Amino acid sequence: MFVATAPAGGGPSAPLTTFQSETPTWSWDGSEVAFTFGSWRHVTDDFHYPDIAQHIGIVGGNASEPHDAPERVVRQSYSEDQGMHTSPNGRWIAFHTHVESDDIWLMAADGSGEARMISEDGHETGWARWSADGRWILFPSYRVDDAGARRAHLFVIGIDQETGEVTQPQTRIDLEGFEQDVIQGEWADAGETVIFEAAEAVGRKSLWRVSRTGGTPERFHDYGSDQLHSGIGVSADGRWVAYVDRAGDGFFQIFRVPAGGGAAEQLTFDPSHKTQPAYSPAGDRIAFTVFDYRVLFWQIEAAF
C-alpha cells in the first residue's frame, strides 16, 4: 500500500509515498498530506492485538519526487492509529485509535500535553472529519441494539477549535427511516450538511445527503462496489463526491459524481487498485491509497 495523487478532473496517477501507507488526508492549506503508516497489514492477525505497528505520519504534498519515509511522525503508539484530521486553525488533531477502546481521540498538533478520548462506546469507529467552521467533528461508529443486531451510525461532537474543549457531547445523527450501515461521512459545506456512503448489501453501495441535525436522508447515487471501507471524498466547493468502484478493467478506480446527483465519471485508469479518496483543499488533486492485496502461503520445514 502507498499513497498517490491524480488530477481532480481525471488523469494519470503519481505516487506520493513509496512505503506502506494509507488513509490520506490533506492539511487545510494543501501543503501536507497525513496518512497511516506501518507494517501491520503484512500479518493477517496479531497475537498481541491491539499491539500493532500502525502510526500517523505527514509528508509534503507538493514534492517533485515520492517520499520514501514520513517527513514527520505525528503519533507512534502500540496501537492502531489512523484517520488523522487537523482542525482548520491547525491547533488540534482528531484521530481514531485502539489504545484503550475504539474511539476518537484529540491531541495538540504541536505534540504538547496528553492525547484524550472525546467519543465513547466506540465499535469499529471510522475516520474523524473536522468541519470547515471548526465547530464539529463527524465520524461513523457501530452500535449493537437490544436484539443483538449491529449497525453503523453517524455521530457528531461539538468542539471549540481554539481550546480543544468539547462543547456538545457525542450525538448520533438521526437518519429517519434509514436502515443501512453508514460507512463514512464527509462535510458537504462548512458544517451544516453531511454527505455519507452507505452499504446496502454485499456489492451494493449508495451516496446520501442529510442535515447535521438529522432528518430524512436524500439518496443521490447508487453503485456496485464490493470494497466495503473504501471511503469517499467531497471537494471543498461541495460540487463533487469522489468514491471507489470496480471499473470495466477489473481494477478498483476513483470515480466522481455531482453532489446533487448526475452522471458519474471515471478519474483514474492505470492498472492498480485504489481506495480512500481525499480532495485537496484547492480542488485540483485527489489523494488516495493504492493497494495490491495478496494472500501468501508458506511452508516451514520441521527441524529435528
Side-chain angles (χ1 to χ4, degrees), residues 25-34 58-62 72 85-90 236 279-285:
T25 58
W26 295 84
S27 61
W28 287 87
D29 64 3
S31 64
E32 296 181 324
V33 175
I58 289 177
V59 295
N62 301 306
R72 188 164 81 253
H85 201 213
T86 307
S87 62
N89 66 3
Y279 274 96
S280 67
D284 59 336
R285 287 189 292 166

Side-chain angles (χ1 to χ4, degrees), residues 233-266:
V234 178
S235 60
D237 61 8
R239 292 182 57 201
W240 298 100
V241 181
Y243 65 96
V244 176
D245 198 356
R246 194 183 293 275
D249 59 6
F251 288 96
F252 286 110
Q253 302 286 5
I254 307 297
F255 292 76
R256 73 176 182 180
V257 65
E265 303 174 47
Q266 184 174 337

Side-chain angles (χ1 to χ4, degrees), residues 7-59:
S13 302
L16 185 63
T17 63
T18 60
F19 54 95
Q20 182 140 317
S21 44
E22 59 178 332
T23 60
T25 58
W26 295 84
S27 61
W28 287 87
D29 64 3
S31 64
E32 296 181 324
V33 175
F35 48 82
T36 296
F37 73 97
S39 61
W40 76 279
R41 285 192 183 273
H42 290 172
V43 180
T44 302
D45 203 358
D46 188 323
F47 183 76
H48 299 291
Y49 182 86
D51 183 5
I52 294 175
Q54 191 179 22
H55 316 300
I56 298 175
I58 289 177
V59 295

Side-chain angles (χ1 to χ4, degrees), residues 6-244:
S13 302
L16 185 63
T17 63
T18 60
F19 54 95
Q20 182 140 317
S21 44
E22 59 178 332
T23 60
T25 58
W26 295 84
S27 61
W28 287 87
D29 64 3
S31 64
E32 296 181 324
V33 175
F35 48 82
T36 296
F37 73 97
S39 61
W40 76 279
R41 285 192 183 273
H42 290 172
V43 180
T44 302
D45 203 358
D46 188 323
F47 183 76
H48 299 291
Y49 182 86
D51 183 5
I52 294 175
Q54 191 179 22
H55 316 300
I56 298 175
I58 289 177
V59 295
N62 301 306
S64 57
E65 297 292 331
H67 302 267
D68 59 7
E71 290 187 319
R72 188 164 81 253
V73 176
V74 175
R75 179 175 168 85
Q76 191 164 6
S77 75
Y78 63 83
S79 184
E80 174 184 313
D81 296 337
Q82 59 180 241
M84 163 184 157
H85 201 213
T86 307
S87 62
N89 66 3
R91 293 187 178 183
W92 303 94
I93 293 169
F95 62 96
H96 159 257
T97 183
H98 281 199
V99 167
E100 294 181 8
S101 58
D102 190 350
D103 278 289
I104 303 299
W105 285 50
L106 195 72
M107 64 178 285
D110 62 7
S112 63
E114 296 292 329
R116 69 183 192 277
M117 185 168 66
I118 59 172
S119 70
E120 59 184 13
D121 301 323
H123 181 65
E124 294 298 332
T125 299
W127 308 313
R129 294 293 184 259
W130 215 300
S131 62
D133 63 10
R135 299 176 56 208
W136 307 97
I137 291 176
L138 172 74
F139 64 96
S141 189
Y142 284 84
R143 295 293 184 270
V144 178
D145 63 23
D146 294 338
R150 192 183 80 154
R151 278 185 50 204
H153 305 273
L154 273 177
F155 296 85
V156 290
I157 297 173
I159 200 86
D160 183 338
Q161 69 168 340
E162 298 300 324
T163 64
E165 295 301 315
V166 172
T167 59
Q168 176 181 300
Q170 171 183 301
T171 302
R172 194 178 86 185
I173 298 178
D174 183 18
L175 305 178
E176 297 176 4
F178 192 81
E179 301 294 334
Q180 300 152 25
D181 283 330
V182 178
I183 304 303
Q184 177 61 22
E186 298 282 343
W187 295 102
D189 50 29
E192 297 301 320
T193 310
V194 173
I195 287 177
F196 65 91
E197 177 187 43
E200 302 188 39
V202 176
R204 291 174 50 201
K205 300 179 79 175
S206 50
L207 298 175
W208 303 71
R209 174 193 297 269
V210 73
S211 168
R212 170 181 51 80
T213 57
T216 303
E218 172 194 352
R219 180 200 297 257
F220 65 89
H221 190 62
D222 296 274
Y223 53 109
S225 177
D226 54 358
Q227 186 187 140
L228 183 58
H229 291 284
S230 51
I232 59 174
V234 178
S235 60
D237 61 8
R239 292 182 57 201
W240 298 100
V241 181
Y243 65 96
V244 176

